[in-house]
Amino acid sequence: MNVNDVAKVFDTILSIPGMGEVVKIDLKMSRKNVLLLNQVIELGIAAKADDKTGLLSSLSEESLSELKSLSEDCLSKAGLNDLNEKLKSLSGK
């Protein structure tokens, strides 16, 4: 499969009926993993413009906004907002 085929398959999967439905997930994770999840989401969103495979570029702005909101909500619930901001300032972001 080439890059365009993979992007088409990914887009098809995201278009399946019911994929837009809201689900409730009871998630328990360490604060370390919350920070890591936040970092992965932020890096993924930032890499959208450079995505050559088309996987991230096929995501809507609404989906990206939901991911960012999820990330921020996890930080807030874990009480890590201040720590995350301080880590960002240390790394120069």
Side-chain angles (χ1 to χ4, degrees), residues 7-56:
K8 286 179 186 176
V9 169
F10 187 70
D11 190 45
T12 301
I13 291 170
L14 293 178
S15 301
I16 293 172
M19 290 298 282
E21 292 178 9
V22 176
V23 295
K24 182 176 180 173
I25 299 174
D26 183 19
L27 184 63
K28 295 180 186 206
M29 64 172 58
S30 67
R31 285 188 170 90
K32 175 181 82 170
N33 284 337
V34 171
L35 279 174
L36 292 172
L37 176 63
N38 175 264
Q39 185 69 21
V40 167
I41 291 173
E42 285 184 358
L43 290 172
I45 290 172
K48 179 185 178 196
D50 299 328
D51 183 27
K52 303 298 184 220
T53 65
L55 297 179
L56 292 175

Side-chain angles (χ1 to χ4, degrees), residues 7 10 16 22 31-32 36 40-41 51 58-59 62 64 68-69 71 76 78 81 86-87 91:
F10 187 70
I16 293 172
V22 176
R31 285 188 170 90
K32 175 181 82 170
L36 292 172
V40 167
I41 291 173
D51 183 27
S58 66
L59 293 177
E62 180 183 352
L64 293 174
K68 187 168 178 64
S69 177
S71 176
S76 178
N81 285 329
K86 289 178 183 179
L87 289 172
S91 67

